[in-house]
Amino acid sequence: QKEVEQDPGPLSVPEGAIVSLNCTYSNSAFQYFMWYRQYSRKGPELLMYTYSSGNKEDGRFTAQVDKSSKYISLFIRDSQPSDSATYLCAMSARGSQGNLIFGKGTKLSVKP
Amino acid sequence: GAVVSQHPSWVICKSGTSVKIECRSLDFQATTMFWYRQFPKQSLMLMATSNEGSKATYEQGVEKDKFLINHASLTLSTLTVTSAHPEDSSFYICSARKRRTSGRILEQYFGPGTRLTVT
């Protein structure tokens, strides 16, 4: 079992839809959880980060962490064509010097 | 902001030659820089971690003599792919972490990546 599992998609939704992206993980030591957005042929851009469990909201984006289920989610409300990108989850364990373990990424396409 | 640049953005080289990729943190000091490799439709795979002024720590399976990393200053790290082969063709991305502050979150800022094609 890989440390971080993420459905690669592709996921296609109409403009305005609510998007749900998810990752599961196996290492219970993970405490830092991040979501990155990567446009084609570009480096990843940090969208949101969460420490331990709980929810965090930033504009149209909401990140959720459920440590008991080892499951994290990113919700995008009122999705826009400009949200079309690959979304990568990443996580690290305390004391690991911040070395991030990435999921494979989910490719999202928002159709006008 | 926290901007990380990479140069070149893409490079084509012949098999057997060496290629150097630069990674710079433009508006902050980075005590730690990371080098990743990303194959098409695959995730980012950490190759090595470098701390300013010390030797890089390589991940298992990454040849340190083939992928030379130098972190000469708090704003510059270089990756040299020596004796490149077609299987080294990939997207190489660096990231930099700010000098540790009081915050617990260890944020990494990524460069735009360098696409290497070895013919």
Side-chain angles (χ1 to χ4, degrees):
Chain A
Q1 182 186 10
K2 293 184 179 178
E3 277 195 292
V4 179
E5 298 273 7
Q6 185 177 10
D7 186 341
L11 179 62
S12 183
V13 302
E15 183 175 355
I18 297 175
V19 177
S20 173
L21 304 166
N22 312 292
C23 288
T24 59
Y25 62 95
S26 57
N27 188 345
S28 57
F30 287 146
Q31 292 200 42
Y32 301 92
F33 304 92
M34 287 86 164
W35 284 96
Y36 286 85
R37 177 173 61 195
Q38 185 177 23
Y39 291 111
S40 181
R41 297 176 181 268
K42 300 291 184 182
E45 168 195 10
L46 180 64
L47 272 180
M48 299 189 71
Y49 61 79
T50 312
Y51 172 69
S52 193
S53 284
N55 294 357
K56 187 171 184 179
E57 187 173 322
D58 183 1
R60 296 185 295 111
F61 299 89
T62 300
Q64 286 186 354
V65 175
D66 182 349
K67 291 191 72 180
S68 62
S69 301
K70 297 189 178 68
Y71 187 88
I72 70 171
S73 301
L74 177 70
F75 297 97
I76 306 174
R77 290 184 298 281
D78 188 25
S79 57
Q80 303 294 310
S82 58
D83 295 328
S84 298
T86 296
Y87 290 80
L88 299 114
C89 63
M91 44 199 83
S92 70
R94 184 173 184 165
S96 68
Q97 299 186 20
N99 291 359
L100 296 176
I101 307 298
F102 283 87
K104 276 192 172 183
T106 300
K107 187 171 184 178
L108 171 67
S109 177
V110 181
K111 304 293 186 184
Chain B
V3 181
V4 177
S5 71
Q6 272 185 251
H7 177 81
S9 56
W10 62 275
V11 58
I12 301 173
C13 71
K14 291 186 177 180
S15 186
T17 61
S18 295
V19 173
K20 180 185 283 188
I21 302 170
E22 289 188 351
C23 175
R24 292 180 186 273
S25 55
L26 298 185
D27 53 0
F28 66 98
Q29 293 184 328
T31 52
T32 305
M33 285 186 168
F34 304 86
W35 286 96
Y36 293 85
R37 182 166 51 185
Q38 186 178 35
F39 292 106
K41 298 185 179 181
Q42 297 294 316
S43 186
L44 281 78
M45 297 300 296
L46 180 65
M47 298 175 66
T49 302
S50 74
N51 293 295
E52 185 263 340
S54 63
K55 289 185 178 180
T57 302
Y58 290 80
E59 295 299 301
Q60 191 173 10
V62 179
E63 300 175 57
K64 63 180 181 180
D65 294 329
K66 180 172 181 63
F67 298 98
L68 302 178
I69 292 173
N70 184 283
H71 193 160
S73 75
L74 286 172
T75 60
L76 173 64
S77 177
T78 61
L79 167 69
T80 301
V81 183
T82 62
S83 185
H85 290 285
E87 58 265 30
D88 298 324
S89 298
S90 188
F91 194 47
Y92 291 86
I93 307 174
C94 73
S95 73
R97 193 165 74 208
K98 287 184 177 181
R99 183 188 291 274
R100 197 178 186 92
T101 64
S102 59
R104 292 183 297 182
I105 300 298
L106 303 172
E107 296 180 35
Q108 289 187 29
Y109 300 92
F110 285 81
T114 297
R115 185 160 302 279
L116 170 64
T117 302
V118 184
T119 60

